[in-house]
Amino acid sequence: MIETHDIVRPPEELVSALAAIGSATASSELNRLGVRSAHIRGPVSFTPGTCVAGPALTLQFMPKREDLYQVDEYAEPEKQLHRHVLYHTRPGDIVVVDARGDMASGVFGEMMMIYFKQRGGVGVVVDGCIRDLGKVRELGLGLWLRGTTPNFHSQTDIFPTAVNVPVACGNTVVEPGDIIVADDDGAVVVPIKLAPALLAEAGSHAEWEEFSRLRLSQGGDLRTYYPLSEEARPEYERWRDAQANGGESLDVGASGRDAESRDVRAGGRNADGGASA
């Protein structure tokens, strides 16, 4: 009988907060925390508009050697480890598969993804392919893949060898239980031990970006508002305080902002040399 280990899952509130910041901010802030690239390169979104975050269940494939693995598609199903990773699924989980970038092996198909969905899984990240794409898309799962194939998982060059071990997915290390943040930009792996610090930094980042987005949409100067300049920080802080107090956002017209910026650059002087009001 094959036995595989479960993962240690992070608090749900931590995962939810990471989902709200998205992969781009997660990647940028992880870089500032010392992780140069947490992007799982290769798999791209096959479900545009989907954003998920969750702990990683991991599955490892290796190059196929027939004396080690001769299992056919439906023979001896309990020897097929790609099934065992799904047995661990709990609500909110994401399966991350190191399929070696193989484009001729469909790691999962419709039936297995139905099972995964009904157990509460929210997404899969595969450095390789799945099959039955049309039917799997209908399930509402998030899919980050290199591609699709009509072949089953071990039909050609690879076979599953381990469940919930560290894997290299898209040349990026993913440990079991790491948090995956995935959206249209791709999938990012957030190490558990860095997640609280990431959230602390990302909260501030997301807040000033919201302010900058607003100002740029109103015609503000890119040099002033992105990234947020020291010149614009007092205006941002007033906006932030107004938001915290439930007040209206400070909607200064573009001309007013431009005049204010010119006034600041002139050292707080009016055109006639007098102090500004």
Side-chain angles (χ1 to χ4, degrees):
M1 179 179 178
I2 294 175
E3 293 186 6
T4 55
H5 297 290
D6 200 2
I7 63 173
V8 177
R9 291 169 176 80
E12 291 183 10
E13 57 270 20
L14 187 63
V15 174
S16 297
L18 286 170
I21 70 172
S23 67
T25 297
S27 178
S28 295
E29 295 303 331
L30 282 170
N31 181 65
R32 293 183 180 89
L33 292 170
V35 179
R36 180 173 55 84
S37 179
H39 175 216
I40 299 175
R41 296 181 292 278
V44 297
S45 176
F46 275 63
T47 49
T50 301
C51 178
V52 300
L57 299 169
T58 64
L59 174 64
Q60 180 190 69
F61 277 74
M62 295 288 281
K64 191 173 181 180
R65 206 175 89 181
E66 282 73 12
D67 65 312
L68 297 177
Y69 195 85
Q70 295 180 335
V71 177
D72 198 1
E73 181 176 8
Y74 300 121
E76 300 182 276
E78 289 312 300
K79 288 187 177 181
Q80 301 184 28
L81 287 177
H82 71 317
R83 300 168 62 94
H84 285 261
V85 72
L86 302 184
Y87 295 159
H88 292 289
T89 305
R90 294 185 189 175
D93 285 352
I94 295 174
V95 173
V96 177
V97 185
D98 171 12
R100 306 182 62 81
D102 190 276
M103 299 300 291
S105 302
V107 171
F108 300 120
E110 177 191 8
M111 297 301 181
M112 296 184 73
M113 289 292 90
I114 289 175
Y115 176 79
F116 176 63
K117 172 71 174 182
Q118 292 309 310
R119 289 183 64 86
V122 297
V124 296
V125 180
V126 183
D127 187 17
C129 300
I130 67 167
R131 65 178 184 173
D132 303 328
L133 176 65
K135 293 294 186 181
V136 174
R137 272 181 170 153
E138 292 175 1
L139 298 175
L141 295 167
L143 304 174
W144 287 265
L145 321 165
R146 277 190 182 266
T148 62
T149 177
N151 296 342
F152 64 85
H153 70 292
S154 60
Q155 185 170 335
T156 56
D157 299 324
I158 60 175
F159 73 108
T161 55
V163 169
N164 288 336
V165 298
V167 298
C169 187
N171 207 35
T172 299
V173 173
V174 180
E175 294 193 331
D178 279 346
I179 301 174
I180 303 299
V181 180
D183 53 28
D184 287 349
D185 286 339
V188 168
V189 54
V190 178
I192 287 291
K193 64 183 180 181
L194 295 181
L198 167 61
L199 277 178
E201 294 296 324
S204 173
H205 185 117
E207 195 171 55
W208 71 252
E209 274 201 346
E210 182 181 352
F211 167 77
S212 294
R213 186 179 299 111
L214 173 65
R215 289 299 182 251
L216 292 173
S217 71
Q218 295 169 339
D221 192 333
L222 185 65
R223 291 165 293 190
T224 300
Y225 293 108
Y226 191 78
L228 186 69
S229 68
E230 287 304 311
E231 176 183 328
R233 184 162 292 278
E235 182 187 355
Y236 158 66
E237 291 173 351
R238 293 195 300 272
W239 173 88
R240 182 191 60 196
D241 292 344
Q243 297 297 300
N245 293 327
E248 296 295 325
S249 60
L250 300 176
D251 187 6
V252 180
S255 60
R257 284 195 306 277
D258 289 345
E260 182 182 29
S261 296
R262 287 194 299 271
D263 185 41
V264 171
R265 286 192 291 270
R269 297 285 174 177
N270 289 324
D272 61 4
S276 60

